[in-house]
Amino acid sequence: MLEKLRTRDGKKFIVAVIMVFITVVAVITKVTFQGVEDQYSLPMEEWTTSMFIIQGAWVFIYSTVFTVIGSLPFGFYFLAPKDGRG
């Protein structure tokens, strides 16, 4: 698998994954933190440190999952065999 990632298409796949990750982190961070503020009418200035840690953990978990899911089409496109198989 590492040999495939070192090819031109492999590098394109890695760039696509990084772009998906940056997009997902931006969206999930905004939604998660803004959601807590709106749901509980609690501005971030009043949050405790543990609330930031918990929300950060959720951002990490969701971002990881959505990055994997969002990267699947790019994996099929860039890393699939080019000789007509499968």
Side-chain angles (χ1 to χ4, degrees):
M1 185 64 186
L2 289 177
E3 296 82 26
K4 275 194 170 188
L5 292 177
R6 290 189 180 121
T7 64
R8 184 180 184 120
D9 283 340
K11 290 178 183 178
K12 288 180 184 177
F13 171 71
I14 291 172
V15 169
V17 171
I18 291 169
M19 290 172 42
V20 168
F21 179 74
I22 290 170
T23 305
V24 167
V25 167
V27 171
I28 296 295
T29 300
K30 174 72 174 164
V31 168
T32 303
F33 283 88
Q34 190 66 43
V36 171
E37 282 188 330
D38 293 344
Q39 185 72 25
Y40 299 106
S41 300
L42 186 64
M44 280 194 203
E45 294 84 28
E46 298 177 15
W47 287 23
T48 62
T49 304
S50 65
M51 290 176 73
F52 281 104
I53 293 171
I54 290 169
Q55 292 307 312
W58 280 115
V59 168
F60 174 75
I61 292 167
Y62 283 129
S63 297
T64 303
V65 170
F66 286 124
T67 298
V68 169
I69 293 170
S71 298
L72 286 174
F74 294 110
F76 289 125
Y77 181 76
F78 289 120
L79 302 177
K82 305 292 188 230
D83 60 0
R85 298 180 301 151

